Amino acid sequence: MEVPVLLVEFEGVLAETATLRSRALAESLASDGIELNASLLHLASGHTTEDAIRLIRDAVGAPDDQTAVELARLRADRVFAERASKGLALQLQVRETLERLTSVARLALVTRASRREVQFVLALAGLDAYFRPVITQEDAAPAKPARAAYAAALKRVGELFPGQVLRGIAIEDSVVAVRTAREMGLLTVIVGAVPPHEAMEADSWIETIADLTPERVRAIVGHAPKGSR
């Protein structure tokens, strides 16, 4: 029997980070004379801070300057950390949802966030025991939305639970990550307020993680084509 493995993004799925990330990016890029807008934010969605800055700089015609990218990343990370330390909101009913999902699936955290950010929030909220393994941006190169993080998580789950037939389901907040997961043969769920044409690219859409019930997980797996991972 196939065992679902939920590969859960931290940002936007478990924690509400979008507002803080956008403000941190805006403040950082303003130092380089770059004004952030909705179009640029959408372009950066689903990427690490460093990759987001690189994409935005390229989009506005800024020079290809790795030093400038790194300095902007450091500024953005500092602003984000300062504000997140004052309180980072988790999505509603996260603990109850994870508790229910453990009855039907293995849970792994696969995120573009840093290990320091993730560990702090999970430990503070008492959620760290739910995920085996936790794969952050430092644990796979290149980081999400590249394939390496998913591959590392699935490999580790296979080692932790040998002999089980696993069916990976990526739980994501961005269409760029959904596309990568689908390319790997994973099933996909996209979370949050995304445009309808992007939501249609995933196997399922939910408003919040609380909408991902055990019954819904079973339905997603049950409707999956044969041969997906």
Side-chain angles (χ1 to χ4, degrees):
M1 184 177 70
E2 293 179 325
V3 178
V5 180
L6 306 186
L7 308 170
V8 184
E9 173 58 62
F10 172 78
E11 303 219 12
V13 176
L14 298 183
E16 180 47 64
T17 58
T19 300
L20 286 185
R21 287 290 184 199
S22 61
R23 289 176 180 172
L25 275 174
E27 288 188 27
S28 177
L29 291 168
S31 298
D32 294 325
I34 298 173
E35 182 177 352
L36 206 56
N37 57 37
S39 177
L40 292 173
L41 274 174
H42 186 70
L43 175 68
S45 175
H47 293 274
T48 64
T49 301
E50 181 175 342
D51 287 344
I53 289 168
R54 187 176 288 109
L55 287 167
I56 291 167
R57 286 179 58 88
D58 183 64
V60 300
D64 183 9
D65 185 339
Q66 181 56 35
T67 299
V69 170
E70 179 63 14
L71 289 173
R73 182 193 66 79
L74 290 171
R75 290 194 300 267
D77 285 349
R78 183 177 64 250
V79 172
F80 180 84
E82 288 173 354
R83 296 186 177 181
S85 66
K86 299 175 184 177
L88 190 62
L90 292 177
Q91 298 290 355
L92 295 177
Q93 300 180 343
V94 165
R95 180 188 299 278
E96 296 87 345
T97 300
L98 296 178
E99 188 66 37
R100 289 194 296 269
L101 292 173
T102 58
S103 67
V104 296
R106 306 296 183 190
L107 305 184
L109 197 71
V110 187
T111 179
R112 60 187 181 270
S114 71
R115 181 164 291 276
R116 181 183 61 182
E117 294 165 348
V118 168
Q119 285 183 329
F120 172 75
V121 176
L122 292 184
L124 191 64
L127 301 177
D128 40 357
Y130 288 100
F131 298 102
R132 297 177 64 195
V134 173
I135 303 294
T136 65
Q137 65 174 247
E138 296 92 344
D139 299 318
K144 283 182 69 179
R147 296 184 176 198
Y150 298 115
L154 289 169
K155 180 176 183 293
R156 183 60 179 145
V157 173
E159 293 169 348
L160 290 169
F161 306 101
Q164 294 186 347
V165 179
L166 305 175
R167 176 63 66 93
I169 307 175
I171 315 299
E172 294 293 346
D173 69 326
S174 71
V175 70
V176 65
V178 163
R179 289 168 181 165
T180 299
R182 287 181 66 86
E183 288 171 1
M184 291 186 66
L186 301 175
L187 301 170
T188 57
V189 176
I190 195 164
V191 182
V194 296
H197 67 278
E198 293 185 356
M200 290 176 64
E201 295 195 37
D203 294 290
S204 186
W205 169 83
I206 54 178
E207 188 173 356
T208 73
I209 187 67
D211 297 320
L212 189 62
T213 62
E215 293 74 22
R216 193 152 193 170
V217 171
R218 293 190 190 98
I220 292 167
V221 172
H223 289 99
K226 299 299 182 183
S228 55
R229 294 185 64 174

